[in-house]
Amino acid sequence: MHRIGYLLKEGFQVMALGTQTVFEFANVVAREQFYQVSNYSLEGGDICTSQGVTVKTLAVGDGSESDSWMISGVVDPTLRPTPANELAFIKRAARHSRRTVGLCTGTFSLGEAGLLDGRRATTHWAYIETLKQRCPTARIEVDHIFTIDGPIWTSAGLTAAMDLALGMVERDLGPQVATATARVLVMDNRRTGGQSQQSELLKLAPKSDRVQIALEYARKNLSQPIRVDDLARAASLSPRQFGRIFQSETGQSPAKAIEQLRLEVARNMIERGIHPLEVIARETGFRDRSHLREVFVRECGVTPQSLRREARNSAPD
């Protein structure tokens, strides 16, 4: 059994508790009680979330109660330095646990405890620059949804913590259980850590239903050639109308937006390391492996091989 302890503090972000659902349903999928989840605080008793919901907690012990410790964050970590007794506990817990996890702004507590020195880490995009200042010896990943550096795991905003939790399930129980768990949770796509904190569909931020429908059509058909005529037909517009509306709403041409969607999906597949690059190129609509490499170097500044190597090197033992 793998024991997971959540260290909660007054005013913690209630979505941190949502990640517990990942472990709950991983147990269901695996048909065994592999994970045991408990809520802790320094003194025990009732802890109030940022929304005013009260959660009952156990008092922490000597740091050896859990195999993985999940350290919660608060809404604005710049206003509240981590108390000394909490930092002392986090340091002890890290010595006795298999993983120490910073959920969203909980990464700040790990940094203040010295656990990020020389390590890769991330947090919510709004606090990246502050984290860099607070942890000058850490290697802060500006736009990753979560990072893994040995026993230290950190996530961006708390929906990204769901992906991190699934990453833990994959390491513990394998990719099949993680994928099945994501399906039970009706997660649209199980993301690895290297994705941008802002998805391409979110960045495009279309205002009309018609453009959203066209983008959804593109996302589902990336392996096929996608012409403006196809997108216009999906949106029930003429090609000329569609091109004008698309540019107005997203600030990009349809061709450029489709290329970015292809890159995002390809990056996910590359980092997961399951398929050869030839298959990834074909499934995401690039002509061949060389075309995939050409676009990656131009848009991302790295080759697909380098990205895959980095993902493998960052994986825990």
mmCIF file with all atom_site columns, all heavy atoms in Angstrom, residues 14 40 47 59 96 126 147 170 176 183 186 203 216:
data_model
loop_
_atom_site.group_PDB
_atom_site.id
_atom_site.type_symbol
_atom_site.label_atom_id
_atom_site.label_alt_id
_atom_site.label_comp_id
_atom_site.label_asym_id
_atom_site.label_entity_id
_atom_site.label_seq_id
_atom_site.pdbx_PDB_ins_code
_atom_site.Cartn_x
_atom_site.Cartn_y
_atom_site.Cartn_z
_atom_site.occupancy
_atom_site.B_iso_or_equiv
_atom_site.pdbx_formal_charge
_atom_site.auth_seq_id
_atom_site.auth_comp_id
_atom_site.auth_asym_id
_atom_site.auth_atom_id
_atom_site.pdbx_PDB_model_num
ATOM 1   N N   . VAL A 1 14  ? -8.937  24.784 -2.315  1.00 0.00 ? 14  VAL A N   1
ATOM 2   C CA  . VAL A 1 14  ? -9.778  23.601 -2.157  1.00 0.00 ? 14  VAL A CA  1
ATOM 3   C C   . VAL A 1 14  ? -9.591  22.606 -3.303  1.00 0.00 ? 14  VAL A C   1
ATOM 4   O O   . VAL A 1 14  ? -9.781  21.392 -3.122  1.00 0.00 ? 14  VAL A O   1
ATOM 5   C CB  . VAL A 1 14  ? -11.261 24.021 -2.030  1.00 0.00 ? 14  VAL A CB  1
ATOM 6   C CG1 . VAL A 1 14  ? -11.808 24.565 -3.348  1.00 0.00 ? 14  VAL A CG1 1
ATOM 7   C CG2 . VAL A 1 14  ? -12.121 22.865 -1.530  1.00 0.00 ? 14  VAL A CG2 1
ATOM 8   N N   . TYR A 1 40  ? -3.669  15.884 6.609   1.00 0.00 ? 40  TYR A N   1
ATOM 9   C CA  . TYR A 1 40  ? -2.921  16.275 7.794   1.00 0.00 ? 40  TYR A CA  1
ATOM 10  C C   . TYR A 1 40  ? -2.802  17.792 7.872   1.00 0.00 ? 40  TYR A C   1
ATOM 11  O O   . TYR A 1 40  ? -2.887  18.496 6.869   1.00 0.00 ? 40  TYR A O   1
ATOM 12  C CB  . TYR A 1 40  ? -1.500  15.701 7.760   1.00 0.00 ? 40  TYR A CB  1
ATOM 13  C CG  . TYR A 1 40  ? -1.410  14.203 7.877   1.00 0.00 ? 40  TYR A CG  1
ATOM 14  C CD1 . TYR A 1 40  ? -1.419  13.397 6.741   1.00 0.00 ? 40  TYR A CD1 1
ATOM 15  C CD2 . TYR A 1 40  ? -1.303  13.590 9.124   1.00 0.00 ? 40  TYR A CD2 1
ATOM 16  C CE1 . TYR A 1 40  ? -1.325  12.016 6.838   1.00 0.00 ? 40  TYR A CE1 1
ATOM 17  C CE2 . TYR A 1 40  ? -1.202  12.207 9.236   1.00 0.00 ? 40  TYR A CE2 1
ATOM 18  C CZ  . TYR A 1 40  ? -1.217  11.427 8.080   1.00 0.00 ? 40  TYR A CZ  1
ATOM 19  O OH  . TYR A 1 40  ? -1.124  10.072 8.194   1.00 0.00 ? 40  TYR A OH  1
ATOM 20  N N   . ILE A 1 47  ? -9.427  22.519 9.387   1.00 0.00 ? 47  ILE A N   1
ATOM 21  C CA  . ILE A 1 47  ? -8.680  23.488 8.587   1.00 0.00 ? 47  ILE A CA  1
ATOM 22  C C   . ILE A 1 47  ? -9.645  24.082 7.569   1.00 0.00 ? 47  ILE A C   1
ATOM 23  O O   . ILE A 1 47  ? -10.411 23.358 6.931   1.00 0.00 ? 47  ILE A O   1
ATOM 24  C CB  . ILE A 1 47  ? -7.495  22.822 7.859   1.00 0.00 ? 47  ILE A CB  1
ATOM 25  C CG1 . ILE A 1 47  ? -6.474  22.301 8.861   1.00 0.00 ? 47  ILE A CG1 1
ATOM 26  C CG2 . ILE A 1 47  ? -6.832  23.792 6.889   1.00 0.00 ? 47  ILE A CG2 1
ATOM 27  C CD1 . ILE A 1 47  ? -5.750  23.390 9.638   1.00 0.00 ? 47  ILE A CD1 1
ATOM 28  N N   . ALA A 1 59  ? -3.116  15.296 12.997  1.00 0.00 ? 59  ALA A N   1
ATOM 29  C CA  . ALA A 1 59  ? -1.859  15.993 13.303  1.00 0.00 ? 59  ALA A CA  1
ATOM 30  C C   . ALA A 1 59  ? -0.698  15.206 12.708  1.00 0.00 ? 59  ALA A C   1
ATOM 31  O O   . ALA A 1 59  ? -0.698  13.971 12.723  1.00 0.00 ? 59  ALA A O   1
ATOM 32  C CB  . ALA A 1 59  ? -1.680  16.136 14.806  1.00 0.00 ? 59  ALA A CB  1
ATOM 33  N N   . HIS A 1 96  ? 12.011  11.152 4.757   1.00 0.00 ? 96  HIS A N   1
ATOM 34  C CA  . HIS A 1 96  ? 11.411  9.854  5.063   1.00 0.00 ? 96  HIS A CA  1
ATOM 35  C C   . HIS A 1 96  ? 10.426  9.374  3.999   1.00 0.00 ? 96  HIS A C   1
ATOM 36  O O   . HIS A 1 96  ? 9.872   8.273  4.138   1.00 0.00 ? 96  HIS A O   1
ATOM 37  C CB  . HIS A 1 96  ? 10.679  9.916  6.404   1.00 0.00 ? 96  HIS A CB  1
ATOM 38  C CG  . HIS A 1 96  ? 11.593  10.115 7.577   1.00 0.00 ? 96  HIS A CG  1
ATOM 39  N ND1 . HIS A 1 96  ? 12.353  9.102  8.118   1.00 0.00 ? 96  HIS A ND1 1
ATOM 40  C CD2 . HIS A 1 96  ? 11.883  11.233 8.284   1.00 0.00 ? 96  HIS A CD2 1
ATOM 41  C CE1 . HIS A 1 96  ? 13.063  9.585  9.126   1.00 0.00 ? 96  HIS A CE1 1
ATOM 42  N NE2 . HIS A 1 96  ? 12.793  10.863 9.247   1.00 0.00 ? 96  HIS A NE2 1
ATOM 43  N N   . ALA A 1 126 ? 1.293   32.735 -12.916 1.00 0.00 ? 126 ALA A N   1
ATOM 44  C CA  . ALA A 1 126 ? 1.241   34.085 -12.337 1.00 0.00 ? 126 ALA A CA  1
ATOM 45  C C   . ALA A 1 126 ? 2.347   34.316 -11.305 1.00 0.00 ? 126 ALA A C   1
ATOM 46  O O   . ALA A 1 126 ? 2.656   35.471 -10.979 1.00 0.00 ? 126 ALA A O   1
ATOM 47  C CB  . ALA A 1 126 ? -0.125  34.326 -11.691 1.00 0.00 ? 126 ALA A CB  1
ATOM 48  N N   . THR A 1 147 ? 6.506   19.186 -13.239 1.00 0.00 ? 147 THR A N   1
ATOM 49  C CA  . THR A 1 147 ? 7.893   18.741 -13.396 1.00 0.00 ? 147 THR A CA  1
ATOM 50  C C   . THR A 1 147 ? 8.180   17.620 -12.420 1.00 0.00 ? 147 THR A C   1
ATOM 51  O O   . THR A 1 147 ? 7.565   17.508 -11.356 1.00 0.00 ? 147 THR A O   1
ATOM 52  C CB  . THR A 1 147 ? 8.898   19.883 -13.137 1.00 0.00 ? 147 THR A CB  1
ATOM 53  O OG1 . THR A 1 147 ? 8.785   20.312 -11.778 1.00 0.00 ? 147 THR A OG1 1
ATOM 54  C CG2 . THR A 1 147 ? 8.665   21.062 -14.067 1.00 0.00 ? 147 THR A CG2 1
ATOM 55  N N   . GLU A 1 170 ? 0.793   6.546  -13.086 1.00 0.00 ? 170 GLU A N   1
ATOM 56  C CA  . GLU A 1 170 ? 1.507   5.859  -14.157 1.00 0.00 ? 170 GLU A CA  1
ATOM 57  C C   . GLU A 1 170 ? 2.812   5.273  -13.653 1.00 0.00 ? 170 GLU A C   1
ATOM 58  O O   . GLU A 1 170 ? 3.172   4.138  -13.992 1.00 0.00 ? 170 GLU A O   1
ATOM 59  C CB  . GLU A 1 170 ? 1.770   6.814  -15.319 1.00 0.00 ? 170 GLU A CB  1
ATOM 60  C CG  . GLU A 1 170 ? 2.523   6.147  -16.469 1.00 0.00 ? 170 GLU A CG  1
ATOM 61  C CD  . GLU A 1 170 ? 2.582   7.013  -17.716 1.00 0.00 ? 170 GLU A CD  1
ATOM 62  O OE1 . GLU A 1 170 ? 1.995   8.107  -17.714 1.00 0.00 ? 170 GLU A OE1 1
ATOM 63  O OE2 . GLU A 1 170 ? 3.233   6.577  -18.682 1.00 0.00 ? 170 GLU A OE2 1
ATOM 64  N N   . GLN A 1 176 ? -1.377  1.768  -18.436 1.00 0.00 ? 176 GLN A N   1
ATOM 65  C CA  . GLN A 1 176 ? -2.736  1.293  -18.697 1.00 0.00 ? 176 GLN A CA  1
ATOM 66  C C   . GLN A 1 176 ? -3.690  1.703  -17.588 1.00 0.00 ? 176 GLN A C   1
ATOM 67  O O   . GLN A 1 176 ? -4.821  2.136  -17.853 1.00 0.00 ? 176 GLN A O   1
ATOM 68  C CB  . GLN A 1 176 ? -2.739  -0.225 -18.875 1.00 0.00 ? 176 GLN A CB  1
ATOM 69  C CG  . GLN A 1 176 ? -2.097  -0.692 -20.178 1.00 0.00 ? 176 GLN A CG  1
ATOM 70  C CD  . GLN A 1 176 ? -2.241  -2.190 -20.376 1.00 0.00 ? 176 GLN A CD  1
ATOM 71  O OE1 . GLN A 1 176 ? -2.285  -2.959 -19.410 1.00 0.00 ? 176 GLN A OE1 1
ATOM 72  N NE2 . GLN A 1 176 ? -2.302  -2.613 -21.626 1.00 0.00 ? 176 GLN A NE2 1
ATOM 73  N N   . ARG A 1 183 ? -9.869  8.007  -18.180 1.00 0.00 ? 183 ARG A N   1
ATOM 74  C CA  . ARG A 1 183 ? -11.148 7.788  -18.869 1.00 0.00 ? 183 ARG A CA  1
ATOM 75  C C   . ARG A 1 183 ? -12.311 7.791  -17.882 1.00 0.00 ? 183 ARG A C   1
ATOM 76  O O   . ARG A 1 183 ? -13.368 8.357  -18.156 1.00 0.00 ? 183 ARG A O   1
ATOM 77  C CB  . ARG A 1 183 ? -11.120 6.468  -19.634 1.00 0.00 ? 183 ARG A CB  1
ATOM 78  C CG  . ARG A 1 183 ? -10.189 6.468  -20.845 1.00 0.00 ? 183 ARG A CG  1
ATOM 79  C CD  . ARG A 1 183 ? -10.276 5.158  -21.591 1.00 0.00 ? 183 ARG A CD  1
ATOM 80  N NE  . ARG A 1 183 ? -11.612 4.967  -22.153 1.00 0.00 ? 183 ARG A NE  1
ATOM 81  C CZ  . ARG A 1 183 ? -12.039 3.811  -22.664 1.00 0.00 ? 183 ARG A CZ  1
ATOM 82  N NH1 . ARG A 1 183 ? -11.255 2.748  -22.655 1.00 0.00 ? 183 ARG A NH1 1
ATOM 83  N NH2 . ARG A 1 183 ? -13.258 3.724  -23.162 1.00 0.00 ? 183 ARG A NH2 1
ATOM 84  N N   . VAL A 1 186 ? -13.262 11.158 -17.058 1.00 0.00 ? 186 VAL A N   1
ATOM 85  C CA  . VAL A 1 186 ? -13.688 11.919 -18.236 1.00 0.00 ? 186 VAL A CA  1
ATOM 86  C C   . VAL A 1 186 ? -12.741 13.097 -18.484 1.00 0.00 ? 186 VAL A C   1
ATOM 87  O O   . VAL A 1 186 ? -13.172 14.219 -18.741 1.00 0.00 ? 186 VAL A O   1
ATOM 88  C CB  . VAL A 1 186 ? -15.157 12.401 -18.109 1.00 0.00 ? 186 VAL A CB  1
ATOM 89  C CG1 . VAL A 1 186 ? -15.701 12.786 -19.483 1.00 0.00 ? 186 VAL A CG1 1
ATOM 90  C CG2 . VAL A 1 186 ? -16.036 11.337 -17.492 1.00 0.00 ? 186 VAL A CG2 1
ATOM 91  N N   . LYS A 1 203 ? -5.319  29.449 -25.811 1.00 0.00 ? 203 LYS A N   1
ATOM 92  C CA  . LYS A 1 203 ? -4.646  30.658 -26.288 1.00 0.00 ? 203 LYS A CA  1
ATOM 93  C C   . LYS A 1 203 ? -5.419  31.321 -27.416 1.00 0.00 ? 203 LYS A C   1
ATOM 94  O O   . LYS A 1 203 ? -5.495  32.543 -27.510 1.00 0.00 ? 203 LYS A O   1
ATOM 95  C CB  . LYS A 1 203 ? -3.237  30.304 -26.776 1.00 0.00 ? 203 LYS A CB  1
ATOM 96  C CG  . LYS A 1 203 ? -2.243  29.972 -25.679 1.00 0.00 ? 203 LYS A CG  1
ATOM 97  C CD  . LYS A 1 203 ? -0.918  29.578 -26.310 1.00 0.00 ? 203 LYS A CD  1
ATOM 98  C CE  . LYS A 1 203 ? 0.090   29.162 -25.257 1.00 0.00 ? 203 LYS A CE  1
ATOM 99  N NZ  . LYS A 1 203 ? 1.351   28.694 -25.867 1.00 0.00 ? 203 LYS A NZ  1
ATOM 100 N N   . GLU A 1 216 ? -12.488 22.410 -32.963 1.00 0.00 ? 216 GLU A N   1
ATOM 101 C CA  . GLU A 1 216 ? -12.709 21.063 -32.451 1.00 0.00 ? 216 GLU A CA  1
ATOM 102 C C   . GLU A 1 216 ? -12.642 20.046 -33.588 1.00 0.00 ? 216 GLU A C   1
ATOM 103 O O   . GLU A 1 216 ? -12.087 18.952 -33.427 1.00 0.00 ? 216 GLU A O   1
ATOM 104 C CB  . GLU A 1 216 ? -14.055 20.981 -31.738 1.00 0.00 ? 216 GLU A CB  1
ATOM 105 C CG  . GLU A 1 216 ? -14.319 19.656 -31.042 1.00 0.00 ? 216 GLU A CG  1
ATOM 106 C CD  . GLU A 1 216 ? -13.323 19.342 -29.948 1.00 0.00 ? 216 GLU A CD  1
ATOM 107 O OE1 . GLU A 1 216 ? -12.659 20.270 -29.435 1.00 0.00 ? 216 GLU A OE1 1
ATOM 108 O OE2 . GLU A 1 216 ? -13.185 18.142 -29.600 1.00 0.00 ? 216 GLU A OE2 1
#
